[in-house]
């Protein structure tokens, strides 16, 4: 299920160009192996945001094969701290990151992000948070990451429309994703009602939320 339609997606993808041949090969590998990575239109949006924001440090939750981490590092020369729960995937990501020459920019931590985030140093500071992991735990990832975000940082969450299921139960034809759908809907409502976040949800890729974080409001109202 595509959240727009195949004609529009094909038209947009027609303009996709990856000037880094190594990254293009990594994308092709991931797609052949059916490894979920950021979709092409999502990647283009993220690259525009990165170039506008010029982040020094990015916190990513959900590494997979390391594709998006390498896109971030390649796009603006930032440093990326990325967390992957699956050890085999983390090892694959490390190998890919080294093969592409980003080992000095990208650090991969292995473990449940909910545990890893509690162990980070209090003086960590990130300009962009990118969440692309277990859909049932987005709110937990968000809340645990917020203390490490800088003022006027951005939080970006991928796959928030879940092939349309977040918007309507009719797209969950066999009722297999009820818990994930319920939690994603709660998460979307949560971030849209936070005093410290200005949020937009966009029908790009499989749905992307973009939030501008005002740390002064977190301090003023506390995190609910």
């Amino acid at each position: 299920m595509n959240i727009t339609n195949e004609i529009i997606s094909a038209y947009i993808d027609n303009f996709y160009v990856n000037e880094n041949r190594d990254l293009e090969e990594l994308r092709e590998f991931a797609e052949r192996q059916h490894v979920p990575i950021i979709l092409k239109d999502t990647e283009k949006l993220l690259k525009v945001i990165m170039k506008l924001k010029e982040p020094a440090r990015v916190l990513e939750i959900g590494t997979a094969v390391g594709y998006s981490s390498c896109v971030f590092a390649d796009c603006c020369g930032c440093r990326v701290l990325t967390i992957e729960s699956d050890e085999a995937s983390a090892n694959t990501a490390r190998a890919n990151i080294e093969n592409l020459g980003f080992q000095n920019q990208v650090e991969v931590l292995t473990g449940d992000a909910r545990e890893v985030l509690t162990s980070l140093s209090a003086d960590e500071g990130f300009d962009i948070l990118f969440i692309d992991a277990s859909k049932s735990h987005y709110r937990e990832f968000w809340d645990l990451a917020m203390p490490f975000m800088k003022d006027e940082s951005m939080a970006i969450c991928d796959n928030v429309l879940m092939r349309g299921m977040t918007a309507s139960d009719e797209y969950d034809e066999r009722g297999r994703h009820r818990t994930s759908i319920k939690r994603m809907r709660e998460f979307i409502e949560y971030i849209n009602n936070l005093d410290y976040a200005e949020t937009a949800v966009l029908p790009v890729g499989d749905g992307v939320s973009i939030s501008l974080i005002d740390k002064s409001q977190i301090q003023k109202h506390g995190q609910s």
Side-chain angles (χ1 to χ4, degrees):
M1 165 63 190
N2 192 310
I3 63 169
T4 55
N5 66 58
E6 293 181 359
I7 295 174
I8 293 174
S9 295
Y11 175 75
I12 294 172
D13 285 349
N14 184 58
F15 295 99
Y16 176 84
V17 177
N18 197 329
E19 297 178 354
N20 186 319
R21 179 56 188 162
D22 293 330
L23 269 173
E24 184 177 6
E25 290 179 356
L26 181 54
R27 170 176 280 285
E28 291 170 355
F29 165 80
E31 290 175 347
R32 285 196 306 270
Q33 298 298 317
H34 304 289
V35 176
I37 60 173
I38 52 176
L39 297 176
K40 291 177 179 178
D41 51 350
T42 303
E43 179 181 335
K44 292 195 71 172
L45 174 64
L46 292 174
K47 288 171 74 172
V48 170
I49 291 173
M50 290 286 170
K51 290 180 179 181
L52 286 171
K53 186 66 176 173
E54 297 183 335
R57 301 192 70 206
V58 174
L59 173 61
E60 177 184 52
I61 301 174
T63 313
V65 295
Y67 181 79
S68 50
S69 298
C70 291
V71 168
F72 301 153
D74 183 59
C75 178
C76 58
C78 61
R79 299 182 67 84
V80 182
L81 179 64
T82 181
I83 305 170
E84 173 57 46
S85 61
D86 182 76
E87 186 171 355
S89 294
N91 289 333
T92 299
R94 291 187 185 98
N96 289 330
I97 289 163
E98 184 171 358
N99 288 339
L100 270 67
F102 295 119
Q103 66 272 17
N104 293 326
Q105 289 175 253
V106 182
E107 179 182 4
V108 182
L109 300 181
T110 307
D112 187 321
R114 292 169 295 179
E115 298 176 0
V116 174
L117 288 168
T118 61
S119 68
L120 293 184
S121 172
D123 60 359
E124 296 278 8
F126 297 95
D127 305 288
I128 287 182
L129 166 66
F130 181 60
I131 302 177
D132 186 12
S134 173
K135 307 302 174 282
S136 294
H137 302 302
Y138 270 31
R139 176 167 176 176
E140 293 171 274
F141 298 149
W142 172 290
D143 286 343
L144 289 167
M146 277 303 117
F148 305 108
M149 304 309 297
K150 296 179 181 178
D151 189 31
E152 296 188 358
S153 59
M154 298 182 72
I156 305 169
C157 304
D158 197 15
N159 304 120
V160 296
L161 294 180
M162 297 175 58
R163 302 191 302 278
M165 292 184 288
T166 305
S168 175
D169 291 334
E170 69 179 282
Y171 296 115
D172 183 26
E173 295 180 355
R174 299 184 181 180
R176 293 179 176 178
H177 305 282
R178 291 175 183 171
T179 299
S180 294
I181 293 169
K182 178 177 181 293
R183 291 183 178 176
M184 183 59 76
R185 288 172 178 168
E186 291 171 349
F187 173 71
I188 293 298
E189 183 174 358
Y190 175 65
I191 62 175
N192 270 281
N193 287 285
L194 289 170
D195 291 325
Y196 65 82
E198 186 70 30
T199 296
V201 178
L202 307 176
V204 175
D206 191 28
V208 178
S209 68
I210 302 173
S211 304
L212 182 63
I213 307 302
D214 183 346
K215 294 284 283 193
S216 67
Q217 293 298 313
I218 296 179
Q219 295 165 359
K220 179 179 179 181
H221 297 286
Q223 191 166 330
S224 56

